């Protein structure tokens, strides 16, 4: 009888740990979901002003020298809100009951960025920057489902970047991002799920097509050093989310007055350096994720814009144990405000 009780307790504990582990993995994935078109990030490689410069090379007439900036840096503050519908909020494999878990999600972002004055170097321009980014995502809008509420998170990140613009539309960047994701609801309210440090290298190329169209191609390589919050009964490594990631991006911008239309595509490959499941079981995990989407944004004035977007993402995950494949579609709208001092 004692053996039966012990076995039952072990099964219940293991099931609970697996459920917590699965939920935490989903939160981490959603916090870093590559295909979701979020806010315009503070370190975006291509902004509307950059595109305008690339597509308009005509003589603008007599120019007046701008007043030199008194501070050695400029301050940019931006805020963004978005509401979107997703047909697979749990990022579950197709054919499972969990894959039918749709949801309406609210996302909010506040970013503050300090950008140093450009420094002429050889035949290019070097620009350092540092930012603080706060994001809040709520997944249970219009629902009292605990599973959706358990996905709510806050994310904090500090990206430090040095970019170098050279040649005809080329830009290379080196960065280091410190970040942390906190669970808002569930076991241990407002508990940190994972923290990470991610050095990265990237390069992009702006290709002017016409005065109203430009294509931006980019690639990046990063290495994440992470430390996850491991449940008490679990035995897997707290750095099991350490990974190398390589990505390729292509975005085409079409400028029509105050409108900007942006179809895009992204492919990323991730290799987990020492991924483990329960009981210290090594799992040679690799992920191949592809996403495509479309964004239509409207510039209200120099400080504000609104957008609608859609996105579809597929992940093929190769593991020895748990299946992390998923397909997810998203449609949403958002608005942004920004100030520069």
């Amino acid at each position: 009888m004692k053996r039966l009780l012990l076995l039952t307790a072990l099964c219940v504990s293991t099931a609970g740990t697996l459920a917590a582990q699965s939920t935490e993995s989903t939160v981490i994935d959603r916090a870093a979901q590559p295909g979701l078109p979020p806010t315009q990030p503070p370190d975006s490689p291509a902004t509307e002003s950059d595109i305008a410069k690339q597509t308009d090379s005509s003589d603008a007439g007599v120019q007046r020298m701008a007043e030199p900036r008194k501070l050695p840096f400029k301050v940019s503050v931006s805020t963004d809100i978005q509401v979107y519908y997703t047909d697979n909020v749990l990022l579950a494999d197709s054919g499972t009951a969990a894959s039918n878990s749709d949801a309406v999600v609210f996302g909010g972002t506040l970013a503050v960025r300090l950008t140093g004055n450009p420094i002429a170097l050889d035949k290019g321009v070097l620009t350092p920057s540092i930012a603080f980014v706060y994001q809040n995502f709520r997944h249970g809008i219009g629902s009292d489902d605990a599973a959706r509420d358990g996905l709510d998170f806050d994310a904090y990140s500090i990206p430090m970047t040095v970019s170098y613009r050279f040649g005809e539309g080329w830009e290379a960047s080196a960065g280091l991002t410190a970040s942390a994701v906190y669970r808002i609801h569930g076991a241990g309210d407002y508990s940190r799920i994972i923290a990470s440090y991610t050095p990265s290298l990237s390069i992009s190329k702006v290709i002017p097509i016409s005065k109203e169209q430009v294509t931006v191609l980019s690639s990046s390589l990063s290495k994440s050093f992470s430390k996850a919050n491991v449940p008490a009964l679990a035995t897997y490594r707290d750095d099991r989310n350490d990974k190398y990631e390589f990505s390729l991006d292509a975005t085409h911008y079409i400028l029509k007055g105050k409108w900007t239309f942006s179809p895009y595509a992204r492919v990323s490959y991730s290799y987990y350096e020492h991924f483990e499941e329960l009981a210290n079981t090594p799992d040679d995990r690799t992920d191949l994720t592809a996403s495509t989407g479309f964004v239509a944004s409207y510039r209200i004035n120099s400080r504000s814009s609104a957008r609608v977007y859609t996105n579809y993402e597929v992940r093929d995950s190769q593991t020895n144990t748990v299946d992390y494949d998923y397909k997810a579609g998203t449609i949403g709208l958002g608005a942004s405000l920004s100030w520069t001092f």
Side-chain angles (χ1 to χ4, degrees), residues 167-216:
E168 296 293 330
W170 287 96
E171 181 173 343
S173 299
L176 175 64
T177 301
S179 61
V181 178
Y182 286 78
R183 180 200 303 278
I184 298 177
H185 305 293
D189 285 352
Y190 216 80
S191 58
R192 192 183 74 185
I193 297 174
I194 189 172
S196 64
Y197 296 92
T198 306
S200 62
L201 296 172
S202 65
I203 189 166
S204 64
K205 167 66 173 174
V206 178
I207 306 173
I209 306 299
S210 67
K211 286 190 175 183
E212 293 186 338
Q213 297 189 49
V214 65
T215 297
V216 179

Side-chain angles (χ1 to χ4, degrees), residues 180-260:
V181 178
Y182 286 78
R183 180 200 303 278
I184 298 177
H185 305 293
D189 285 352
Y190 216 80
S191 58
R192 192 183 74 185
I193 297 174
I194 189 172
S196 64
Y197 296 92
T198 306
S200 62
L201 296 172
S202 65
I203 189 166
S204 64
K205 167 66 173 174
V206 178
I207 306 173
I209 306 299
S210 67
K211 286 190 175 183
E212 293 186 338
Q213 297 189 49
V214 65
T215 297
V216 179
L217 305 178
S218 62
S219 64
S220 65
L221 176 65
S222 64
K223 170 68 166 72
S224 294
F225 300 90
S226 64
K227 184 175 182 179
N229 178 30
V230 180
L233 295 176
T235 58
Y236 55 79
R237 299 170 57 141
D238 62 1
D239 59 354
R240 73 184 190 129
N241 290 285
D242 287 6
K243 64 179 179 180
Y244 292 91
E245 183 169 277
F246 174 74
S247 64
L248 295 172
D249 295 81
T251 306
H252 185 70
Y253 295 91
I254 304 171
L255 306 177
K256 294 290 184 180
K258 292 188 175 184
W259 286 94
T260 301

Side-chain angles (χ1 to χ4, degrees), residues 48-115:
E48 286 189 16
S49 60
D50 293 330
I51 296 169
K53 292 175 184 177
Q54 292 289 338
T55 56
D56 188 1
S57 59
S58 60
D59 185 3
V62 177
Q63 300 295 305
R64 184 178 62 183
M65 184 175 292
E67 180 182 354
R69 183 179 297 277
K70 296 179 180 180
L71 295 175
F73 56 84
K74 69 176 180 180
V75 181
S76 302
V77 180
S78 62
T79 182
D80 182 275
I81 57 172
Q82 58 180 323
V83 179
Y84 63 89
Y85 167 83
T86 176
D87 62 358
N88 186 5
V89 71
L90 297 178
L91 302 182
D93 190 17
S94 302
T96 64
S99 66
N100 296 321
S101 297
D102 57 351
V104 176
V105 182
F106 169 84
T109 299
L110 174 65
V112 180
R113 183 186 186 192
L114 302 180
T115 304

Side-chain angles (χ1 to χ4, degrees), residues 27-44:
V27 174
I28 293 171
D29 283 345
R30 289 211 67 87
Q33 192 174 10
L36 179 64
T39 66
Q40 288 289 352
D43 55 353
S44 175

